[in-house]
Amino acid sequence: MKPFACLLLLLLGASCNFSAEQNTTAPSAAKTTSGLPSGWSTHRDSAGFTIAIPAGWNVRTEKQTGRILVQGTQGEQSAIWPTFLPQQQLDANSAGMLARQIAPRLDPQAAWGPPENTSNFVRLTARGAQRKGVLLLTWTNKPIGAQVCVYASSAPASSYRTSADMFARVFESFRIESATEKQAPINSGFAASPKYVQWMDPNESAFTLAVPEGWKALGGAYRFTATDIRKGVNLFSPDGQVRILYGDANIPAFTLPTPMYSQLGMREGTYTTLGDGSKLLIRGYLSGEQFARDYVENTMRGQCQNLRILSTGNRPELTKLAAPSQMVPGIARVETTAGEVAFSCTVNGRSLEGYVAAVTRVAYSSMQGGLWYVENLFGVLAPTQSIQPAKAVCEKVASSFRLDPGWENRQRQISAAAVQQDYARSQQIQQRALRAIQEDLRATSDIIVNGYNQRQATYDEISRKRENAILGTVDVVDPASGRQYKIENYSDYHWMDNQGNIAGTRTADSPGLGWRQMLDLP
Protein backbone atom coordinates (compact mmCIF):
# COMPACT_ATOMS: atom_id res chain seq x y z
CA MET A 1 0.00 0.00 0.00
CA LYS A 2 1.32 3.47 -0.86
CA PRO A 3 2.45 5.59 2.12
CA PHE A 4 -0.10 8.33 1.35
CA ALA A 5 -2.94 5.83 1.32
CA CYS A 6 -1.66 4.34 4.56
CA LEU A 7 -1.52 7.77 6.18
CA LEU A 8 -5.11 8.40 5.11
CA LEU A 9 -6.19 5.05 6.53
CA LEU A 10 -4.62 5.84 9.88
CA LEU A 11 -6.17 9.30 9.99
CA LEU A 12 -9.54 7.93 8.95
CA GLY A 13 -9.46 5.36 11.73
CA ALA A 14 -8.63 2.23 9.72
CA SER A 15 -5.55 0.03 9.87
CA CYS A 16 -2.78 -0.31 7.32
CA ASN A 17 0.19 -2.50 6.46
CA PHE A 18 3.09 -1.44 4.26
CA SER A 19 4.09 -4.99 3.46
CA ALA A 20 0.83 -6.24 2.03
CA GLU A 21 -2.03 -4.88 -0.07
CA GLN A 22 -4.57 -6.81 1.97
CA ASN A 23 -6.39 -5.01 4.78
CA THR A 24 -8.69 -6.77 7.21
CA THR A 25 -11.10 -3.85 7.33
CA ALA A 26 -11.59 -3.72 3.58
CA PRO A 27 -14.79 -5.28 2.23
CA SER A 28 -12.88 -6.93 -0.59
CA ALA A 29 -9.20 -7.23 -1.48
CA ALA A 30 -9.78 -8.60 -4.98
CA LYS A 31 -8.07 -6.50 -7.66
CA THR A 32 -8.87 -5.85 -11.29
CA THR A 33 -6.23 -5.53 -13.99
CA SER A 34 -6.37 -1.75 -13.54
CA GLY A 35 -5.24 -2.08 -9.91
CA LEU A 36 -8.63 -1.10 -8.50
CA PRO A 37 -10.65 -3.35 -6.18
CA SER A 38 -13.27 -5.48 -7.90
CA GLY A 39 -16.36 -3.47 -8.85
CA TRP A 40 -14.59 -0.12 -8.68
CA SER A 41 -14.39 2.28 -11.63
CA THR A 42 -12.57 5.49 -12.52
CA HIS A 43 -14.68 8.61 -12.83
CA ARG A 44 -13.28 11.16 -15.31
CA ASP A 45 -14.82 14.57 -14.66
CA SER A 46 -15.21 17.46 -17.10
CA ALA A 47 -13.85 19.74 -14.37
CA GLY A 48 -10.43 18.21 -15.03
CA PHE A 49 -9.87 15.44 -12.51
CA THR A 50 -10.20 11.67 -12.15
CA ILE A 51 -11.20 9.70 -9.07
CA ALA A 52 -11.84 6.01 -8.34
CA ILE A 53 -15.18 5.09 -6.72
CA PRO A 54 -16.90 1.84 -5.60
CA ALA A 55 -19.81 0.43 -7.59
CA GLY A 56 -22.98 2.48 -7.23
CA TRP A 57 -21.24 5.58 -5.84
CA ASN A 58 -21.59 8.90 -7.66
CA VAL A 59 -19.53 12.07 -8.01
CA ARG A 60 -20.83 15.63 -8.10
CA THR A 61 -18.85 18.85 -8.55
CA GLU A 62 -20.10 22.19 -7.25
CA LYS A 63 -18.86 24.71 -9.81
CA GLN A 64 -19.51 27.71 -7.59
CA THR A 65 -17.47 26.48 -4.60
CA GLY A 66 -15.14 23.96 -6.25
CA ARG A 67 -16.17 21.18 -3.86
CA ILE A 68 -16.08 17.61 -5.13
CA LEU A 69 -18.68 15.42 -3.42
CA VAL A 70 -18.67 11.61 -3.53
CA GLN A 71 -21.76 9.80 -2.22
CA GLY A 72 -22.18 6.13 -1.45
CA THR A 73 -25.18 3.85 -1.57
CA GLN A 74 -25.79 3.60 2.20
CA GLY A 75 -25.24 7.10 3.53
CA GLU A 76 -21.49 7.27 2.99
CA GLN A 77 -20.20 10.59 1.76
CA SER A 78 -16.82 12.17 1.21
CA ALA A 79 -15.65 15.53 -0.06
CA ILE A 80 -12.52 17.03 -1.55
CA TRP A 81 -12.44 20.81 -1.44
CA PRO A 82 -9.45 22.69 -2.87
CA THR A 83 -9.71 26.44 -2.34
CA PHE A 84 -7.54 29.54 -2.20
CA LEU A 85 -7.68 32.24 0.49
CA PRO A 86 -6.23 35.43 -1.01
CA GLN A 87 -4.14 37.72 1.19
CA GLN A 88 -4.23 35.30 4.13
CA GLN A 89 -1.60 33.15 5.84
CA LEU A 90 -2.65 30.18 7.97
CA ASP A 91 -1.04 28.59 11.00
CA ALA A 92 -2.15 25.59 13.06
CA ASN A 93 -4.53 27.71 15.16
CA SER A 94 -6.26 29.57 12.33
CA ALA A 95 -6.40 26.39 10.23
CA GLY A 96 -8.17 24.68 13.12
CA MET A 97 -10.71 27.50 13.31
CA LEU A 98 -11.29 27.25 9.57
CA ALA A 99 -11.76 23.46 9.80
CA ARG A 100 -14.36 23.89 12.57
CA GLN A 101 -16.38 26.22 10.34
CA ILE A 102 -16.14 24.02 7.26
CA ALA A 103 -17.00 20.66 8.88
CA PRO A 104 -20.72 21.38 9.58
CA ARG A 105 -21.13 22.60 6.01
CA LEU A 106 -19.95 19.23 4.71
CA ASP A 107 -22.02 17.11 7.13
CA PRO A 108 -24.36 19.08 9.44
CA GLN A 109 -25.68 15.84 11.01
CA ALA A 110 -22.30 14.78 12.40
CA ALA A 111 -21.16 15.92 15.88
CA TRP A 112 -17.72 17.31 15.07
CA GLY A 113 -15.17 17.49 17.87
CA PRO A 114 -12.37 20.03 18.47
CA PRO A 115 -9.46 20.29 16.02
CA GLU A 116 -6.29 18.29 16.52
CA ASN A 117 -3.44 20.43 15.18
CA THR A 118 -0.06 19.42 13.78
CA SER A 119 2.52 21.39 11.87
CA ASN A 120 1.10 20.57 8.43
CA PHE A 121 -2.51 19.47 8.79
CA VAL A 122 -5.56 19.73 11.04
CA ARG A 123 -7.87 16.84 11.87
CA LEU A 124 -11.45 16.87 13.16
CA THR A 125 -13.37 13.74 14.10
CA ALA A 126 -17.07 13.11 14.62
CA ARG A 127 -17.89 10.30 17.06
CA GLY A 128 -21.63 10.70 17.47
CA ALA A 129 -24.09 7.87 17.95
CA GLN A 130 -25.67 8.43 14.54
CA ARG A 131 -22.79 9.39 12.27
CA LYS A 132 -19.02 9.24 12.46
CA GLY A 133 -16.50 11.02 10.30
CA VAL A 134 -13.17 12.71 9.91
CA LEU A 135 -12.02 15.94 8.24
CA LEU A 136 -8.43 16.69 7.25
CA LEU A 137 -7.36 20.20 6.27
CA THR A 138 -3.94 20.82 4.74
CA TRP A 139 -2.55 24.17 3.68
CA THR A 140 0.39 25.83 1.97
CA ASN A 141 1.12 29.52 2.48
CA LYS A 142 2.05 31.39 -0.71
CA PRO A 143 3.12 35.01 -1.19
CA ILE A 144 -0.39 36.20 -2.06
CA GLY A 145 -2.50 33.81 0.00
CA ALA A 146 -3.03 30.31 1.37
CA GLN A 147 -3.73 27.25 -0.77
CA VAL A 148 -6.07 24.98 1.19
CA CYS A 149 -7.34 21.46 0.54
CA VAL A 150 -9.96 19.71 2.65
CA TYR A 151 -10.60 15.96 2.71
CA ALA A 152 -13.71 14.90 4.62
CA SER A 153 -15.62 11.65 5.03
CA SER A 154 -18.59 10.54 7.09
CA ALA A 155 -20.93 7.57 7.28
CA PRO A 156 -23.52 5.99 9.58
CA ALA A 157 -21.85 5.09 12.87
CA SER A 158 -22.60 1.39 12.42
CA SER A 159 -20.73 1.16 9.11
CA TYR A 160 -18.04 3.83 9.36
CA ARG A 161 -15.32 1.40 10.45
CA THR A 162 -15.76 -0.80 7.38
CA SER A 163 -16.08 2.29 5.14
CA ALA A 164 -12.76 3.84 6.21
CA ASP A 165 -10.67 1.84 3.75
CA MET A 166 -12.93 2.81 0.85
CA PHE A 167 -12.69 6.47 1.80
CA ALA A 168 -8.89 6.28 1.89
CA ARG A 169 -8.76 4.63 -1.53
CA VAL A 170 -11.10 7.27 -2.97
CA PHE A 171 -8.91 10.09 -1.66
CA GLU A 172 -5.67 8.45 -2.71
CA SER A 173 -6.96 7.96 -6.26
CA PHE A 174 -7.79 11.65 -6.76
CA ARG A 175 -5.76 13.08 -9.67
CA ILE A 176 -5.76 16.44 -11.48
CA GLU A 177 -5.52 15.85 -15.22
CA SER A 178 -2.67 17.39 -17.20
CA ALA A 179 -0.64 17.62 -14.02
CA THR A 180 2.57 18.21 -15.96
CA GLU A 181 1.14 21.29 -17.61
CA LYS A 182 -0.28 22.63 -14.36
CA GLN A 183 3.05 22.21 -12.55
CA ALA A 184 5.04 23.92 -15.31
CA PRO A 185 6.27 27.48 -14.76
CA ILE A 186 3.43 29.92 -15.05
CA ASN A 187 5.01 31.54 -18.10
CA SER A 188 4.38 28.37 -20.11
CA GLY A 189 0.72 28.56 -19.16
CA PHE A 190 0.52 31.91 -20.97
CA ALA A 191 2.24 30.62 -24.09
CA ALA A 192 -1.10 29.66 -25.63
CA SER A 193 -4.01 32.10 -25.61
CA PRO A 194 -6.19 31.25 -22.61
CA LYS A 195 -9.86 30.49 -23.05
CA TYR A 196 -12.07 33.23 -21.63
CA VAL A 197 -15.47 32.83 -20.01
CA GLN A 198 -18.01 35.50 -19.12
CA TRP A 199 -18.11 36.44 -15.43
CA MET A 200 -21.12 38.33 -14.05
CA ASP A 201 -20.95 40.68 -11.08
CA PRO A 202 -22.48 38.59 -8.23
CA ASN A 203 -23.64 41.53 -6.12
CA GLU A 204 -25.99 43.43 -8.46
CA SER A 205 -25.53 41.76 -11.88
CA ALA A 206 -24.34 45.19 -12.96
CA PHE A 207 -21.54 44.22 -15.35
CA THR A 208 -19.65 41.37 -16.98
CA LEU A 209 -15.96 40.67 -17.61
CA ALA A 210 -14.13 38.15 -19.77
CA VAL A 211 -12.12 36.06 -17.29
CA PRO A 212 -9.59 33.31 -18.10
CA GLU A 213 -11.19 29.91 -17.55
CA GLY A 214 -10.20 28.38 -14.22
CA TRP A 215 -9.25 31.68 -12.58
CA LYS A 216 -10.86 32.72 -9.28
CA ALA A 217 -12.78 36.01 -9.31
CA LEU A 218 -13.65 37.94 -6.14
CA GLY A 219 -15.57 41.21 -5.89
CA GLY A 220 -18.20 42.97 -7.98
CA ALA A 221 -20.30 46.12 -7.68
CA TYR A 222 -20.59 47.75 -4.26
CA ARG A 223 -23.42 50.18 -3.47
CA PHE A 224 -22.59 52.92 -0.99
CA THR A 225 -25.70 55.03 -1.62
CA ALA A 226 -28.54 55.14 -4.13
CA THR A 227 -26.23 56.80 -6.65
CA ASP A 228 -22.70 55.88 -5.52
CA ILE A 229 -21.89 52.42 -6.88
CA ARG A 230 -18.29 51.31 -7.33
CA LYS A 231 -16.62 48.28 -8.85
CA GLY A 232 -13.73 46.23 -7.55
CA VAL A 233 -12.68 42.79 -8.83
CA ASN A 234 -9.60 40.69 -8.07
CA LEU A 235 -8.67 37.72 -10.28
CA PHE A 236 -6.25 34.96 -9.23
CA SER A 237 -4.60 32.43 -11.54
CA PRO A 238 -5.25 28.75 -10.70
CA ASP A 239 -1.86 28.40 -9.01
CA GLY A 240 -2.24 31.68 -7.12
CA GLN A 241 0.90 33.20 -8.67
CA VAL A 242 -0.76 35.98 -10.67
CA ARG A 243 -3.22 38.58 -9.40
CA ILE A 244 -5.15 40.94 -11.66
CA LEU A 245 -7.15 43.85 -10.29
CA TYR A 246 -9.95 45.66 -12.09
CA GLY A 247 -11.33 48.71 -10.31
CA ASP A 248 -11.13 49.41 -6.58
CA ALA A 249 -14.24 50.02 -4.49
CA ASN A 250 -12.17 52.08 -2.03
CA ILE A 251 -11.79 54.90 -4.57
CA PRO A 252 -14.48 57.63 -4.24
CA ALA A 253 -15.39 60.42 -6.62
CA PHE A 254 -13.47 63.68 -6.17
CA THR A 255 -14.25 67.39 -6.19
CA LEU A 256 -11.69 70.10 -6.92
CA PRO A 257 -10.63 72.46 -4.10
CA THR A 258 -12.25 75.90 -4.24
CA PRO A 259 -12.03 79.13 -2.25
CA MET A 260 -15.53 78.42 -0.97
CA TYR A 261 -14.34 75.17 0.60
CA SER A 262 -11.44 77.02 2.22
CA GLN A 263 -13.82 79.59 3.73
CA LEU A 264 -15.87 76.72 5.17
CA GLY A 265 -12.75 75.16 6.69
CA MET A 266 -12.85 72.24 4.28
CA ARG A 267 -9.26 71.57 3.26
CA GLU A 268 -7.95 69.15 0.65
CA GLY A 269 -8.22 65.58 1.93
CA THR A 270 -11.61 66.06 3.62
CA TYR A 271 -15.05 65.06 2.33
CA THR A 272 -18.15 66.95 1.32
CA THR A 273 -21.52 65.22 1.40
CA LEU A 274 -24.28 65.29 -1.20
CA GLY A 275 -27.96 65.06 -0.44
CA ASP A 276 -28.30 61.29 -0.79
CA GLY A 277 -25.32 60.63 1.48
CA SER A 278 -22.75 60.27 -1.31
CA LYS A 279 -19.34 61.60 -0.35
CA LEU A 280 -16.84 63.44 -2.53
CA LEU A 281 -13.18 63.71 -1.55
CA ILE A 282 -11.73 67.21 -1.97
CA ARG A 283 -8.56 66.74 -3.98
CA GLY A 284 -6.71 68.34 -6.88
CA TYR A 285 -7.04 66.60 -10.21
CA LEU A 286 -4.58 63.82 -11.09
CA SER A 287 -4.03 62.74 -14.68
CA GLY A 288 -4.23 59.04 -15.50
CA GLU A 289 -0.44 58.68 -15.24
CA GLN A 290 -0.30 60.63 -11.97
CA PHE A 291 -3.13 58.62 -10.42
CA ALA A 292 -1.57 55.30 -11.48
CA ARG A 293 1.68 56.26 -9.76
CA ASP A 294 -0.15 57.53 -6.68
CA TYR A 295 -2.09 54.25 -6.49
CA VAL A 296 1.08 52.14 -6.75
CA GLU A 297 2.94 54.15 -4.13
CA ASN A 298 0.07 54.29 -1.63
CA THR A 299 -1.85 51.04 -2.21
CA MET A 300 0.43 48.46 -3.80
CA ARG A 301 3.20 49.36 -1.34
CA GLY A 302 1.05 47.84 1.40
CA GLN A 303 0.85 44.53 -0.46
CA CYS A 304 4.56 43.97 -1.18
CA GLN A 305 7.96 45.13 0.02
CA ASN A 306 10.93 46.95 -1.56
CA LEU A 307 8.69 48.67 -4.09
CA ARG A 308 10.54 50.43 -6.91
CA ILE A 309 9.04 52.42 -9.81
CA LEU A 310 10.46 51.13 -13.10
CA SER A 311 8.74 53.44 -15.58
CA THR A 312 5.76 55.72 -16.11
CA GLY A 313 4.06 56.99 -19.24
CA ASN A 314 0.96 58.31 -20.94
CA ARG A 315 -1.39 55.86 -22.64
CA PRO A 316 -3.82 58.07 -24.63
CA GLU A 317 -5.18 55.03 -26.49
CA LEU A 318 -6.62 53.71 -23.21
CA THR A 319 -9.08 56.62 -23.07
CA LYS A 320 -11.25 54.59 -25.43
CA LEU A 321 -12.05 52.39 -22.41
CA ALA A 322 -13.86 55.33 -20.79
CA ALA A 323 -17.55 55.97 -21.32
CA PRO A 324 -18.43 58.67 -23.89
CA SER A 325 -18.21 62.14 -22.37
CA GLN A 326 -21.57 63.87 -21.91
CA MET A 327 -21.93 67.61 -21.36
CA VAL A 328 -24.57 68.72 -18.87
CA PRO A 329 -25.66 72.18 -17.76
CA GLY A 330 -23.02 73.92 -15.70
CA ILE A 331 -20.07 71.96 -17.15
CA ALA A 332 -17.64 74.03 -19.22
CA ARG A 333 -15.33 71.31 -20.47
CA VAL A 334 -14.35 67.71 -19.86
CA GLU A 335 -10.86 66.19 -20.10
CA THR A 336 -9.94 62.49 -20.10
CA THR A 337 -6.38 61.23 -19.66
CA ALA A 338 -4.77 57.79 -19.30
CA GLY A 339 -1.38 56.57 -18.11
CA GLU A 340 0.50 53.61 -16.67
CA VAL A 341 3.19 52.72 -14.16
CA ALA A 342 5.47 49.68 -14.08
CA PHE A 343 7.07 48.64 -10.80
CA SER A 344 8.90 45.84 -9.03
CA CYS A 345 8.69 44.57 -5.47
CA THR A 346 9.16 41.46 -3.34
CA VAL A 347 6.80 39.23 -1.35
CA ASN A 348 8.48 36.95 1.20
CA GLY A 349 11.74 37.43 -0.64
CA ARG A 350 10.33 36.53 -4.05
CA SER A 351 10.78 38.99 -6.93
CA LEU A 352 7.56 40.23 -8.53
CA GLU A 353 6.73 42.84 -11.11
CA GLY A 354 3.57 44.88 -11.45
CA TYR A 355 1.73 47.19 -13.76
CA VAL A 356 -1.13 49.62 -13.10
CA ALA A 357 -3.04 51.71 -15.65
CA ALA A 358 -5.60 54.41 -14.85
CA VAL A 359 -8.04 56.51 -16.86
CA THR A 360 -9.25 59.68 -15.11
CA ARG A 361 -11.76 62.31 -16.20
CA VAL A 362 -12.34 65.82 -14.91
CA ALA A 363 -15.44 67.95 -15.54
CA TYR A 364 -14.75 71.64 -14.95
CA SER A 365 -17.67 73.78 -13.82
CA SER A 366 -18.58 76.86 -15.82
CA MET A 367 -18.70 78.75 -12.50
CA GLN A 368 -16.03 77.40 -10.21
CA GLY A 369 -14.46 74.10 -9.26
CA GLY A 370 -15.48 70.81 -10.78
CA LEU A 371 -15.63 67.06 -10.31
CA TRP A 372 -13.26 64.28 -11.29
CA TYR A 373 -13.26 60.52 -10.99
CA VAL A 374 -11.39 57.38 -12.00
CA GLU A 375 -13.09 56.05 -15.11
CA ASN A 376 -10.96 52.92 -15.27
CA LEU A 377 -8.27 51.23 -13.17
CA PHE A 378 -6.60 47.89 -13.77
CA GLY A 379 -3.32 46.23 -12.98
CA VAL A 380 -1.38 43.02 -12.42
CA LEU A 381 1.14 41.58 -9.96
CA ALA A 382 3.07 38.53 -11.16
CA PRO A 383 6.43 36.72 -11.03
CA THR A 384 9.04 38.61 -13.05
CA GLN A 385 9.22 36.00 -15.82
CA SER A 386 5.44 36.15 -16.32
CA ILE A 387 4.73 39.88 -16.29
CA GLN A 388 4.36 40.38 -20.06
CA PRO A 389 1.82 37.60 -20.74
CA ALA A 390 0.04 38.48 -17.49
CA LYS A 391 -0.16 42.12 -18.61
CA ALA A 392 -1.75 41.00 -21.90
CA VAL A 393 -4.39 39.03 -19.95
CA CYS A 394 -4.97 42.07 -17.73
CA GLU A 395 -5.65 44.40 -20.66
CA LYS A 396 -7.91 41.79 -22.25
CA VAL A 397 -9.97 41.65 -19.05
CA ALA A 398 -10.13 45.45 -18.84
CA SER A 399 -11.30 45.86 -22.45
CA SER A 400 -14.06 43.27 -21.92
CA PHE A 401 -15.98 45.30 -19.30
CA ARG A 402 -19.66 45.68 -20.22
CA LEU A 403 -22.50 47.22 -18.20
CA ASP A 404 -25.72 45.22 -18.19
CA PRO A 405 -28.39 47.26 -20.07
CA GLY A 406 -31.18 46.15 -17.75
CA TRP A 407 -29.19 47.18 -14.70
CA GLU A 408 -28.38 50.53 -16.32
CA ASN A 409 -32.08 51.24 -16.87
CA ARG A 410 -32.94 50.31 -13.29
CA GLN A 411 -30.11 52.46 -11.98
CA ARG A 412 -31.28 55.50 -13.95
CA GLN A 413 -34.68 55.16 -12.26
CA ILE A 414 -33.05 54.80 -8.83
CA SER A 415 -30.83 57.83 -9.47
CA ALA A 416 -33.76 59.92 -10.70
CA ALA A 417 -35.81 59.02 -7.62
CA ALA A 418 -32.89 59.89 -5.34
CA VAL A 419 -32.39 63.26 -7.01
CA GLN A 420 -36.10 64.09 -6.77
CA GLN A 421 -36.11 63.18 -3.08
CA ASP A 422 -33.05 65.35 -2.47
CA TYR A 423 -34.67 68.27 -4.32
CA ALA A 424 -37.78 67.99 -2.16
CA ARG A 425 -35.63 68.21 0.98
CA SER A 426 -33.50 71.09 -0.27
CA GLN A 427 -34.06 73.41 -3.20
CA GLN A 428 -30.31 73.86 -3.40
CA ILE A 429 -29.88 70.27 -4.67
CA GLN A 430 -30.04 70.21 -8.47
CA GLN A 431 -30.52 67.23 -10.64
CA ARG A 432 -27.24 65.51 -11.43
CA ALA A 433 -26.48 62.66 -13.78
CA LEU A 434 -24.39 59.75 -12.50
CA ARG A 435 -23.13 56.90 -14.60
CA ALA A 436 -22.98 54.05 -12.09
CA ILE A 437 -19.83 51.97 -11.64
CA GLN A 438 -17.62 54.55 -13.39
CA GLU A 439 -18.47 57.19 -10.76
CA ASP A 440 -19.47 59.66 -13.47
CA LEU A 441 -20.77 62.31 -11.08
CA ARG A 442 -21.50 65.19 -13.47
CA ALA A 443 -23.06 68.14 -11.75
CA THR A 444 -22.67 71.86 -11.25
CA SER A 445 -20.61 73.20 -8.41
CA ASP A 446 -23.83 74.57 -6.91
CA ILE A 447 -24.63 71.05 -5.68
CA ILE A 448 -21.54 71.12 -3.54
CA VAL A 449 -20.78 74.69 -2.49
CA ASN A 450 -24.13 76.52 -2.25
CA GLY A 451 -25.90 76.27 1.06
CA TYR A 452 -23.40 73.86 2.58
CA ASN A 453 -24.04 74.98 6.14
CA GLN A 454 -27.81 74.68 5.79
CA ARG A 455 -27.59 71.18 4.34
CA GLN A 456 -24.95 69.85 6.67
CA ALA A 457 -27.12 69.41 9.77
CA THR A 458 -29.78 67.61 7.75
CA TYR A 459 -27.37 65.19 6.14
CA ASP A 460 -24.98 64.48 9.00
CA GLU A 461 -27.16 61.62 10.25
CA ILE A 462 -27.63 60.25 6.73
CA SER A 463 -23.88 60.37 6.19
CA ARG A 464 -23.15 58.60 9.49
CA LYS A 465 -25.54 55.73 8.76
CA ARG A 466 -24.41 55.23 5.19
CA GLU A 467 -20.71 55.76 5.67
CA ASN A 468 -19.86 52.03 5.70
CA ALA A 469 -23.03 50.71 4.05
CA ILE A 470 -21.85 48.38 1.29
CA LEU A 471 -23.96 45.82 -0.47
CA GLY A 472 -22.08 42.55 0.07
CA THR A 473 -20.88 40.72 3.18
CA VAL A 474 -18.15 38.33 4.21
CA ASP A 475 -18.10 35.60 6.88
CA VAL A 476 -15.20 35.94 9.30
CA VAL A 477 -14.13 33.99 12.39
CA ASP A 478 -12.55 35.34 15.56
CA PRO A 479 -9.57 33.01 16.15
CA ALA A 480 -9.70 33.63 19.89
CA SER A 481 -13.30 32.54 20.44
CA GLY A 482 -14.15 30.63 17.26
CA ARG A 483 -17.28 32.77 16.89
CA GLN A 484 -18.41 33.56 13.36
CA TYR A 485 -19.51 37.01 12.22
CA LYS A 486 -21.06 38.31 9.00
CA ILE A 487 -19.64 41.75 8.23
CA GLU A 488 -19.47 44.16 5.31
CA ASN A 489 -16.93 43.11 2.70
CA TYR A 490 -15.09 46.38 2.12
CA SER A 491 -11.59 45.88 3.55
CA ASP A 492 -8.84 43.44 2.63
CA TYR A 493 -8.11 42.59 6.28
CA HIS A 494 -10.46 42.39 9.26
CA TRP A 495 -9.54 42.81 12.93
CA MET A 496 -11.10 42.53 16.41
CA ASP A 497 -9.92 43.98 19.72
CA ASN A 498 -10.46 42.66 23.24
CA GLN A 499 -13.66 44.68 23.60
CA GLY A 500 -15.23 43.01 20.55
CA ASN A 501 -14.83 45.98 18.21
CA ILE A 502 -14.32 45.09 14.54
CA ALA A 503 -12.21 47.14 12.13
CA GLY A 504 -11.07 46.75 8.55
CA THR A 505 -7.81 47.78 6.88
CA ARG A 506 -6.50 47.73 3.32
CA THR A 507 -3.05 46.47 4.38
CA ALA A 508 -1.80 43.68 6.63
CA ASP A 509 -0.72 46.20 9.29
CA SER A 510 -2.62 45.88 12.58
CA PRO A 511 -4.81 48.88 13.57
CA GLY A 512 -2.89 48.97 16.87
CA LEU A 513 -1.97 47.17 20.05
CA GLY A 514 -4.50 44.56 21.16
CA TRP A 515 -6.05 43.90 17.72
CA ARG A 516 -6.05 40.35 16.31
CA GLN A 517 -6.66 39.43 12.68
CA MET A 518 -9.90 37.61 11.89
CA LEU A 519 -10.06 34.71 9.47
CA ASP A 520 -12.08 35.05 6.25
CA LEU A 521 -14.05 31.94 5.30
CA PRO A 522 -13.92 30.71 1.68
Side-chain angles (χ1 to χ4, degrees):
M1 181 173 293
K2 297 179 181 179
F4 179 73
C6 187
L7 173 64
L8 281 171
L9 284 172
L10 291 171
L11 293 171
L12 290 167
S15 60
C16 70
N17 190 327
F18 280 108
S19 62
E21 291 290 348
Q22 183 174 342
N23 189 298
T24 57
T25 64
S28 173
K31 294 291 188 74
T32 65
T33 56
S34 64
L36 296 176
S38 178
W40 284 54
S41 62
T42 298
H43 171 84
R44 190 176 303 276
D45 199 275
S46 60
F49 67 87
T50 61
I51 192 168
I53 55 175
W57 288 37
N58 64 78
V59 179
R60 178 168 59 91
T61 303
E62 295 181 345
K63 293 184 178 180
Q64 184 175 7
T65 64
R67 285 190 299 190
I68 301 167
L69 304 176
V70 182
Q71 295 180 317
T73 58
Q74 298 183 15
E76 308 97 336
Q77 62 181 35
S78 59
I80 301 173
W81 191 0
T83 188
F84 183 74
L85 304 179
Q87 300 177 346
Q88 296 192 58
Q89 303 287 293
L90 296 183
D91 55 21
N93 182 55
S94 58
M97 292 294 181
L98 181 61
R100 290 186 64 180
Q101 298 297 323
I102 289 176
R105 297 163 65 178
L106 297 177
D107 191 339
Q109 298 179 349
W112 297 97
E116 304 167 36
N117 300 336
T118 72
S119 60
N120 58 354
F121 69 86
V122 171
R123 178 191 185 199
L124 269 67
T125 56
R127 299 187 175 93
Q130 300 299 319
R131 294 185 66 83
K132 291 186 177 181
V134 65
L135 179 145
L136 309 175
L137 184 148
T138 65
W139 73 94
T140 301
N141 290 324
K142 295 187 176 183
I144 59 174
Q147 185 70 51
V148 178
C149 193
V150 177
Y151 298 87
S153 64
S154 60
S158 58
S159 60
Y160 182 79
R161 184 71 178 177
T162 57
S163 302
D165 181 61
M166 290 192 292
F167 287 137
R169 292 183 186 276
V170 168
F171 291 146
E172 197 274 336
S173 72
F174 178 71
R175 295 287 185 276
I176 299 293
E177 289 188 317
S178 303
T180 301
E181 178 183 344
K182 289 182 179 293
Q183 293 171 2
I186 190 168
N187 197 43
S188 66
F190 285 116
S193 298
K195 179 182 178 181
Y196 290 85
V197 296
Q198 188 180 76
W199 179 85
M200 171 70 79
D201 154 41
N203 295 341
E204 294 208 356
S205 299
F207 64 89
T208 59
L209 291 174
V211 173
E213 190 173 34
W215 286 46
K216 186 177 183 66
L218 300 172
Y222 297 91
R223 181 179 294 272
F224 287 71
T225 67
T227 57
D228 184 7
I229 307 97
R230 310 174 193 171
K231 63 181 180 295
V233 180
N234 280 281
L235 306 177
F236 296 90
S237 62
D239 62 2
Q241 298 298 304
V242 176
R243 173 198 169 200
I244 289 175
L245 67 91
Y246 182 73
D248 188 333
N250 294 293
I251 301 174
F254 303 92
T255 180
L256 297 173
T258 66
M260 176 67 75
Y261 286 147
S262 297
Q263 293 175 15
L264 294 172
M266 301 168 61
R267 63 186 183 279
E268 189 164 357
T270 61
Y271 287 87
T272 182
T273 307
L274 299 183
D276 67 346
S278 299
K279 288 193 168 184
L280 303 178
L281 179 61
I282 302 174
R283 188 179 188 184
Y285 174 63
L286 297 180
S287 67
E289 179 182 355
Q290 291 171 328
F291 188 89
R293 179 161 189 152
D294 180 82
Y295 187 84
V296 168
E297 292 179 337
N298 291 285
T299 300
M300 301 305 295
R301 189 180 297 277
Q303 302 176 20
C304 56
Q305 301 80 47
N306 305 313
L307 189 143
R308 184 166 66 95
I309 300 296
L310 300 178
S311 65
T312 65
N314 290 316
R315 291 285 304 276
E317 74 277 11
L318 292 181
T319 58
K320 67 183 181 182
L321 298 178
S325 177
Q326 298 180 13
M327 300 299 293
V328 297
I331 299 299
R333 59 190 174 92
V334 176
E335 294 180 5
T336 305
T337 61
E340 67 179 6
V341 173
F343 63 96
S344 65
C345 63
T346 60
V347 174
N348 295 334
R350 185 180 185 187
S351 296
L352 301 176
E353 287 193 25
Y355 156 79
V356 169
V359 181
T360 62
R361 175 173 288 169
V362 57
Y364 292 102
S365 169
S366 57
M367 298 176 60
Q368 188 182 62
L371 303 173
W372 69 277
Y373 38 90
V374 180
E375 275 274 13
N376 225 308
L377 177 76
F378 52 91
V380 64
L381 189 62
T384 299
Q385 71 273 15
S386 305
I387 186 61
Q388 291 305 319
K391 180 178 174 181
V393 173
C394 177
E395 295 202 0
K396 167 69 174 179
V397 171
S399 64
S400 72
F401 173 81
R402 298 290 185 274
L403 281 173
D404 179 77
W407 183 88
E408 274 194 288
N409 291 333
R410 292 191 298 273
Q411 184 57 32
R412 289 193 189 99
Q413 297 174 6
I414 294 173
S415 299
V419 170
Q420 291 173 5
Q421 186 177 11
D422 292 339
Y423 186 83
R425 288 196 299 262
S426 171
Q427 294 300 312
Q428 296 160 351
I429 300 295
Q430 300 182 14
Q431 183 172 358
R432 56 195 174 87
L434 177 146
R435 182 174 179 82
I437 301 301
Q438 299 183 15
E439 299 90 40
D440 194 358
L441 296 170
R442 304 182 182 95
T444 65
S445 59
D446 290 346
I447 298 177
I448 305 166
V449 299
N450 292 345
Y452 175 83
N453 288 330
Q454 292 88 340
R455 293 201 316 268
Q456 193 61 42
T458 304
Y459 299 136
D460 273 350
E461 182 65 10
I462 297 174
S463 174
R464 183 187 67 79
K465 291 181 179 179
R466 295 181 178 177
E467 184 172 7
N468 295 315
I470 302 169
L471 184 64
T473 59
V474 61
D475 292 314
V476 298
V477 177
D478 174 19
S481 65
R483 185 176 178 184
Q484 180 175 335
Y485 299 84
K486 185 178 290 292
I487 64 174
E488 295 165 341
N489 187 15
Y490 184 47
S491 305
D492 294 327
Y493 300 87
H494 305 99
W495 310 82
M496 175 175 281
D497 65 9
N498 294 329
Q499 286 72 46
N501 298 312
I502 297 175
T505 62
R506 295 171 60 182
T507 70
D509 298 326
S510 170
L513 186 65
W515 291 84
R516 56 186 177 274
Q517 186 175 356
M518 304 183 78
L519 178 66
D520 292 6
L521 296 181

